Amino acid sequence: MLNNTAMGKVPDNNYYLFKSCVAGSMYPGIEIAIRFVLDRIGVDYSDDPRHSSCTGFAYHTGVMPLSTNLALNARNFSLAAGDTNKNIVCSCPTSYGNLKECKDILSKDADLRDRTAGVLYKIGKDYDISPSVNHISEIFLARLDDITAKSVRSLSGIKAVTHHGCHYTKIFYRDVASGNFERPMVLDNIAKAFGCDIVEYGERSLCCGMGFHHTLTESEYPEEVLKRKFSSIRDAGPDVIITQCPGCIFNLDHYQESLAGSIGDIDIPVLYISELVALMLGAGPEEIGLDMHIVPVDGLLEKIGIKGTKK
């Protein structure tokens, strides 16, 4: 079910790509695939090298103060506001949640707004937080007819489970573009449009285990979460796990092998939604970096009818 109120706010063109630090360092193919899809459907977008990380990781782990987070992201908003393509589109749910939180705070707190505007004035930037903030999966959903019209492949016969990022569904929970915060359907509806069979699993709403503070301060908690998540996913028997978060794909892809000693072999490919959509539009696996994944994707690619990657 589409959330018409949320979807009505999704811009249909002129995107300002907001790049992810985790995607850029660990899975660069995620954003290569995003550009591939946007080029195929012929929309306008900017790939501005001047914007910085949202620093959400530092903010959520408590090592960056709120005032710094606000000033830094006010600068990011200012860059987008001055661009031809002003609609910010994030590949990372943490960037999405952090930018929206900064915008919300600055819109409501006059003192913080004045202090932040003063910081921008010192560096020669105008204070303008007007650009909208969306996640790339919402853009894909909003432009789904245009995307499927360019499809050259199908996911018919493929079984998948979806995992939506908690910073997408559980911070601004009313803004989930399809479904709701307890049962988001953004990824489900995109994959179904290509013929994919989405299968259920009991721990669908459970976090991937990354939880920034827990990841840095204690390893046992994230590992126990991952065990529960993967035990449930394995029971569902999917061909692929589909995500919308670079951090989630890191956790779900990297740690499968290390969990084998406690819950047995898993070996399920994990794809970010842009990688899956780019494949459907004709991208080659190595062209979008699928050979950089930890869990090999060759078995999945063969089921889709694509020649595998080289390791």
Side-chain angles (χ1 to χ4, degrees):
M1 179 180 68
L2 295 178
N3 180 342
N4 291 327
T5 301
M7 282 300 292
K9 300 177 183 176
V10 178
D12 62 2
N13 206 341
N14 301 114
Y15 307 125
Y16 183 92
L17 299 186
F18 196 89
K19 296 171 281 293
S20 158
C21 54
V22 175
S25 58
M26 301 301 297
Y27 293 91
I30 287 174
E31 290 170 345
I32 293 172
I34 288 173
R35 299 184 193 98
F36 184 96
V37 174
L38 297 183
D39 286 338
R40 281 291 188 276
I41 63 173
V43 298
D44 295 323
Y45 64 91
S46 295
D47 193 1
D48 187 353
R50 297 172 299 166
H51 85 71
S52 69
S53 161
C54 78
T55 69
F57 203 117
Y59 176 58
H60 286 289
T61 51
V63 299
M64 173 174 282
L66 174 62
S67 59
T68 305
N69 188 37
L70 292 174
L72 187 146
N73 283 311
R75 176 184 175 275
N76 285 328
F77 274 113
S78 174
L79 291 170
D83 197 277
T84 302
N85 301 304
K86 304 178 187 299
N87 301 310
I88 293 176
V89 176
C90 303
S91 55
C92 174
T94 296
S95 300
Y96 164 89
N98 194 26
L99 284 167
K100 292 187 79 158
E101 184 177 357
C102 289
K103 182 171 181 170
D104 188 55
I105 292 171
L106 291 170
S107 299
K108 295 175 179 175
D109 191 312
D111 180 54
L112 286 173
R113 180 172 60 245
D114 291 344
R115 290 166 57 187
T116 301
V119 172
L120 288 194
Y121 176 78
K122 290 180 180 177
I123 61 171
K125 295 292 181 187
D126 295 328
Y127 175 86
D128 186 346
I129 61 168
S130 63
S132 61
V133 180
N134 287 95
H135 188 272
I136 189 63
S137 59
E138 297 176 325
I139 303 302
F140 288 170
L141 189 60
R143 302 293 302 250
L144 198 51
D145 289 343
D146 300 310
I147 291 173
T148 54
K150 299 287 185 179
S151 176
V152 297
R153 292 171 175 144
S154 168
L155 292 175
S156 177
I158 301 299
K159 294 192 300 181
V161 297
T162 61
H163 172 76
H164 294 73
C166 54
H167 286 181
Y168 174 73
T169 61
K170 296 180 173 63
I171 299 178
F172 289 87
Y173 54 89
R174 291 190 179 90
D175 293 345
V176 172
S178 182
N180 55 51
F181 71 98
E182 291 182 313
R183 187 175 173 75
M185 296 291 289
V186 179
L187 301 178
D188 303 56
N189 287 331
I190 296 170
K192 285 178 180 177
F194 295 103
C196 188
D197 179 18
I198 302 297
V199 294
E200 295 297 324
Y201 63 110
E203 298 287 5
R204 176 187 165 105
S205 63
L206 185 65
C207 169
C208 74
M210 174 162 274
F212 296 151
H213 184 76
H214 290 296
T215 295
L216 293 179
T217 60
E218 54 180 322
S219 61
E220 292 184 3
Y221 177 81
E223 185 174 335
E224 289 304 312
V225 171
L226 267 177
K227 287 179 184 176
R228 282 176 53 192
K229 188 83 181 180
F230 271 121
S231 294
S232 180
I233 288 174
R234 188 174 52 190
D235 289 345
D239 298 303
V240 60
I241 302 168
I242 305 171
T243 80
Q244 62 171 180
C245 175
C248 294
I249 197 171
F250 175 84
N251 248 29
L252 296 172
D253 188 29
H254 269 251
Y255 292 115
Q256 288 193 33
E257 184 173 356
S258 64
L259 292 178
S262 55
I263 64 173
D265 293 337
I266 306 170
D267 204 27
I268 304 171
V270 189
L271 293 188
Y272 187 93
I273 188 64
S274 65
E275 297 174 324
L276 193 68
V277 173
L279 283 176
M280 294 300 98
L281 300 193
E286 294 175 19
E287 182 181 6
I288 55 172
L290 296 189
D291 53 331
M292 299 175 68
H293 284 230
I294 301 301
V295 177
V297 300
D298 297 78
L300 171 67
L301 295 176
E302 289 175 7
K303 288 185 179 181
I304 299 174
I306 306 172
K307 184 179 180 181
T309 62
K310 298 175 181 177
K311 278 284 185 180

